[in-house]
Amino acid sequence: MPVFQESISLKPFNTFRIDSKADRFVEIKRESDLKAVFDGVDRYTQEILVLGGGSNMLFTKDFKGLVIKISIPGISYVENGDEVIVTAGAGVVWNDLVTFCVHHDFAGLENLTLIPGTVGASPIQNIGAYGVELKDVFSSCTAFEIATGDIKKFTYSDCNFGYRESVFKNKLKGKYIITSVNFTLNKKATIRTQYGAIAAELERRNIKQPSIADVSMVVAAIRVSKLPDPSTIGNAGSFFKNPVIDKKQFEVLFAKFPEVVHYPAPAEKIKLAAGWLIEQCGFKGKVVGQTGTWKNQALVLVNHGYASGQEVYDFSEQIIRAVHAKFNVALNREVNIF
Ligand code: FAD
Ligand code: NAP
């Protein structure tokens, strides 16, 4: 039976290390525990927060409801020719799954090495890095419907994946708890090195024909050199999404700032590098009280030790205003605010 705890600090459960309190907290280790939990709470009046690794969250106040931490374990797989269907429990640490797959030579997840958090959260914002997104390997997931207690299967097309988006962040926000995810991987690797610093780093190490283990190792090395380690400095990765704008807006921007870092996006749109926009406004490595931006990547907001969530949020407002004033571009937060 799941054990409920009262009035607990969420500091160990969020990578920003914000010291907010939750009125009630329960950890789930099996899908069947969810039924038991919801038999004991009023699912219509009780505020619910589903928590994975807390690596994409900013708590700006205490949480006056029930936090459900998902710790459902387990990785299994079925091979079918070159294809492998890997199933992982929602509580599996994402990078443990990546390591498992790289170790077994199951290709597809290697570019997503070292993304913090859990498997269950991976479809929520369609996690992505180095030119690969969850949607590229997603087969289906199972989820517990909070209103009914039913278990539902979501296929690829049910999930409406977009750039750091899915149906779970939009139409179905707060309605389902993902309990496991199925991935379609392949024993014949398609090596993807044309993104960010991967090719340059492979070249530097004199690796001419990289394996998926090489790609994973290099991605890990780049990430460690560039990003703050949440175990030593609180952060939730990229605080804002890269803005995607239409051609007309881009032409106006480009005429004024021809050096603007940009990439083509689907539907003839243009993706701007939010980190570059923020850096150009003078924010890279800036320290404001207990918060600031990371010295190697202005897109990452950090907690220098004792920041409150509100302090980080207010600082993010300053950044949004500065980027809008200089570039007339709207930044939207990627991190979930509670
Ligand atoms: P949490 O932060 O616990 O939750 C995130 C959201 O998902 C919340 O709304 C929560 O309610 C919901 N949720 C969590 N679990 C479930 C579930 N089982 N069912 C239903 N809803 C659920 N993200 C990227 O996309 N790419 C990156 O390269 C990347 N790099 C990062 C680097 C660093 C240093 C950090 C700190 C973060 C980075 N992130 C990145 C963001 C983050 O790691 C991902 O968004 C990750 O998927 C969050 O997982 P989590 O388990 O920590 O989710
Ligand atoms: P980077 O390599 O310095 O690149 C800056 C931005 O340019 C990235 O955000 C990336 O967009 C985009 N980009 C780079 N090469 C591209 C290409 N060939 N085609 C299209 N877009 C390209 O970025 P970084 O900060 O070191 O991050 C590296 C990767 O890890 C990125 O994919 C990034 O998304 C991911 N990451 C994500 C988080 C998070 O919390 N979400 C945190 C750290 C790193 P995309 O972001 O769209 O890929």
Side-chain angles (χ1 to χ4, degrees), residues 243-257 260 262 268-272 277 323-332:
V244 178
I245 62 175
D246 63 31
K247 250 187 172 160
K248 220 165 143 195
Q249 187 184 358
F250 178 71
E251 278 160 14
V252 175
L253 182 69
F254 186 72
K256 211 168 161 197
F257 301 98
V260 61
H262 64 282
E268 302 213 332
K269 298 206 168 192
I270 316 288
K271 181 178 75 177
L272 306 176
L277 299 171
V323 167
H324 192 263
K326 189 172 171 96
F327 297 109
N328 194 27
V329 169
L331 284 184
N332 290 308

Side-chain angles (χ1 to χ4, degrees), residues 58 116 310:
L58 178 69
Q310 191 60 46

Side-chain angles (χ1 to χ4, degrees), residues 114-132:
L114 232 53
I115 296 181
T118 56
V119 164
S122 64
I124 306 291
Q125 74 156 8
N126 178 27
I127 56 168
Y130 296 101
V132 175

Side-chain angles (χ1 to χ4, degrees), residues 59-309:
F59 293 111
T60 56
K61 51 186 182 304
D62 290 341
F63 187 73
K64 300 278 166 214
L66 172 65
V67 171
I68 305 178
K69 163 125 182 80
I70 306 300
S71 300
I72 302 169
I75 303 177
S76 60
Y77 62 90
V78 177
E79 300 182 44
N80 181 14
D82 286 336
E83 211 172 80
V84 190
I85 301 292
V86 177
T87 302
V92 170
V93 170
W94 174 262
N95 198 53
D96 290 352
L97 175 66
V98 174
T99 307
F100 176 93
C101 293
V102 169
H103 184 74
H104 283 76
D105 249 334
F106 300 160
L109 302 185
E110 54 283 357
N111 291 46
L112 305 177
T113 297
L114 232 53
I115 296 181
T118 56
V119 164
S122 64
I124 306 291
Q125 74 156 8
N126 178 27
I127 56 168
Y130 296 101
V132 175
E133 290 178 301
L134 184 276
K135 72 177 174 56
D136 302 331
V137 287
F138 178 91
S139 170
S140 63
C141 65
T142 51
F144 174 93
E145 187 177 20
I146 293 176
T148 61
D150 292 343
I151 299 291
K152 187 177 167 193
K153 181 174 173 180
F154 286 85
T155 63
Y156 178 93
S157 58
D158 293 331
C159 293
N160 273 346
F161 290 121
Y163 183 57
R164 307 290 189 264
E165 290 291 348
S166 76
V167 73
F168 302 109
K169 249 189 128 167
N170 294 291
K171 204 172 118 203
L172 299 184
K173 191 176 164 137
K175 297 202 183 315
Y176 285 88
I177 300 175
I178 294 175
T179 54
S180 70
V181 182
N182 295 315
F183 303 85
T184 305
L185 303 183
N186 210 292
K187 287 194 255 173
K188 283 206 177 121
T190 305
I191 301 288
R192 283 155 296 196
T193 60
Q194 305 310 315
Y195 206 94
I198 300 183
E201 189 57 26
L202 286 166
E203 174 88 20
R204 202 179 69 76
R205 292 167 188 246
N206 202 22
I207 300 172
K208 303 275 185 234
Q209 287 192 315
S211 63
I212 61 167
D214 292 325
V215 172
S216 177
M217 179 214 14
V218 158
V219 167
I222 302 168
R223 293 184 71 103
V224 166
S225 71
K226 197 160 178 190
L227 297 169
D229 175 358
S231 67
T232 53
I233 183 151
N235 76 92
S238 306
F239 199 88
F240 304 99
K241 290 194 244 184
N242 287 327
V244 178
I245 62 175
D246 63 31
K247 250 187 172 160
K248 220 165 143 195
Q249 187 184 358
F250 178 71
E251 278 160 14
V252 175
L253 182 69
F254 186 72
K256 211 168 161 197
F257 301 98
E259 70 284 20
V260 61
V261 179
H262 64 282
Y263 299 92
E268 302 213 332
K269 298 206 168 192
I270 316 288
K271 181 178 75 177
L272 306 176
W276 185 87
L277 299 171
I278 297 167
E279 190 176 338
Q280 296 306 304
C281 294
F283 280 99
K284 190 174 183 181
K286 193 164 179 172
V287 179
V288 178
Q290 287 291 314
T291 185
T293 53
W294 184 236
K295 59 182 186 325
N296 298 333
Q297 173 50 292
L299 190 50
V300 177
L301 271 56
V302 295
N303 175 2
H304 285 294
Y306 299 98
S308 67

